[in-house]
Amino acid sequence: MSYATGYSYLFVRCKTAKQCEYLIKQFESENQNSNWFDLYQNDHSPLKIFFSLRNCDIPSDFDEIVKEVDQWLKHNFKISLEGYWWYEVAGEQFRSEIHSGKITEASLNWLETFTVEQINKIRQYAKNSFSQTTHKKNA
């Protein structure tokens, strides 16, 4: 199995604090993919559980791991995994996202062929046209 370097911003939104507590315990004891993730919550979003990569290694079958976790969450808690992961392999960078159980992916290297001036114009256009996500990389 090959690995890439990356990080994740994956999460679920629980319905209650009790569901959050139970989900964390069940995931760590029952889910075969628990070795890939550290689950945590923060004070700003107490009903949100984050699935942070345990280390920065993303295996080549990570899409399947994410799908399996999503299916497990749907089956056991009737909630879905959301968010994205970023990774780099052989000098190319990718962003993958999961929404409603579907995974999409885009290469991030396409900007390399543009000048800084062009990239700044593209960035400004994007800021004016689309809402931005406000989260930061997980440490």
Side-chain angles (χ1 to χ4, degrees):
M1 179 180 303
S2 60
Y3 293 88
T5 299
Y7 69 88
S8 66
Y9 186 84
L10 296 167
F11 61 91
V12 292
R13 298 176 202 273
C14 295
K15 295 171 180 114
T16 65
K18 193 172 191 172
Q19 184 185 39
C20 287
E21 183 181 325
Y22 185 65
L23 187 154
I24 291 170
K25 285 180 185 174
Q26 291 302 110
F27 185 79
E28 291 172 352
S29 67
E30 289 183 8
N31 195 290
Q32 66 183 3
N33 294 305
S34 64
N35 59 316
W36 291 106
F37 300 100
D38 286 321
L39 275 57
Y40 71 92
Q41 296 170 274
N42 66 35
D43 294 338
H44 300 291
S45 303
L47 295 181
K48 205 178 207 184
I49 297 175
F50 296 92
F51 289 70
S52 178
L53 281 171
R54 186 154 287 161
N55 57 43
C56 293
D57 291 335
I58 293 184
S60 55
D61 65 344
F62 194 66
D63 285 11
E64 292 305 314
I65 292 169
V66 171
K67 286 179 187 176
E68 288 172 8
V69 170
D70 184 57
Q71 288 300 314
W72 183 85
L73 290 163
K74 285 177 185 173
H75 177 76
N76 290 291
F77 296 93
K78 303 198 180 355
I79 56 179
S80 294
L81 195 60
E82 301 176 53
Y84 72 92
W85 58 101
W86 173 95
Y87 60 99
E88 182 175 343
V89 63
E92 190 160 1
Q93 299 171 346
F94 297 91
R95 176 183 169 123
S96 295
E97 299 178 2
I98 184 165
H99 299 285
S100 303
K102 297 192 188 311
I103 294 176
T104 55
E105 177 183 89
S107 170
L108 303 176
N109 288 54
W110 63 273
L111 283 173
E112 291 177 349
T113 60
F114 293 94
T115 66
V116 171
E117 182 180 349
Q118 291 169 323
I119 291 169
N120 286 335
K121 286 179 181 178
I122 293 168
R123 179 183 294 122
Q124 191 59 49
Y125 172 78
K127 283 182 178 180
N128 292 338
S129 301
F130 307 104
S131 62
Q132 288 184 278
T133 55
T134 57
H135 47 266
K136 298 177 183 173
K137 287 197 299 189
N138 292 341

